[in-house]
Amino acid sequence: MKGDYGSMAWVNDEKGKEYVCTVDPQHLNEKKLENLSEQEKKTCEDVNQIIGTERW
């Protein structure tokens, strides 16, 4: 993943799966995966792959 914490958005797909993505400034508050650009979507990582399946 490229970028710092300030350039990341936590978004959900239509099924509720959570992703963290590096986004342009206009999408920092975005919550829906489908509203990101194709380039931004390529940066997304499945949160469960990063931190596991248990919530904090």
Side-chain angles (χ1 to χ4, degrees):
M1 181 166 290
K2 190 168 116 180
D4 62 15
Y5 187 79
S7 64
M8 293 195 281
W10 298 76
V11 298
N12 295 85
D13 66 13
E14 64 280 348
K15 295 179 184 176
K17 194 170 188 177
E18 189 172 31
Y19 298 88
V20 61
C21 310
T22 303
V23 297
D24 293 328
Q26 70 267 24
H27 287 142
L28 284 176
N29 295 316
E30 186 57 59
K31 300 297 181 199
K32 295 182 180 181
L33 179 68
E34 62 266 17
N35 293 338
L36 300 182
S37 71
E38 289 305 313
Q39 186 168 347
E40 289 170 327
K41 288 178 186 177
K42 290 178 184 178
T43 70
C44 295
E45 295 288 338
D46 180 349
V47 172
N48 286 322
Q49 297 298 318
I50 299 169
I51 61 172
T53 57
E54 294 184 30
R55 301 302 265 165
W56 307 345

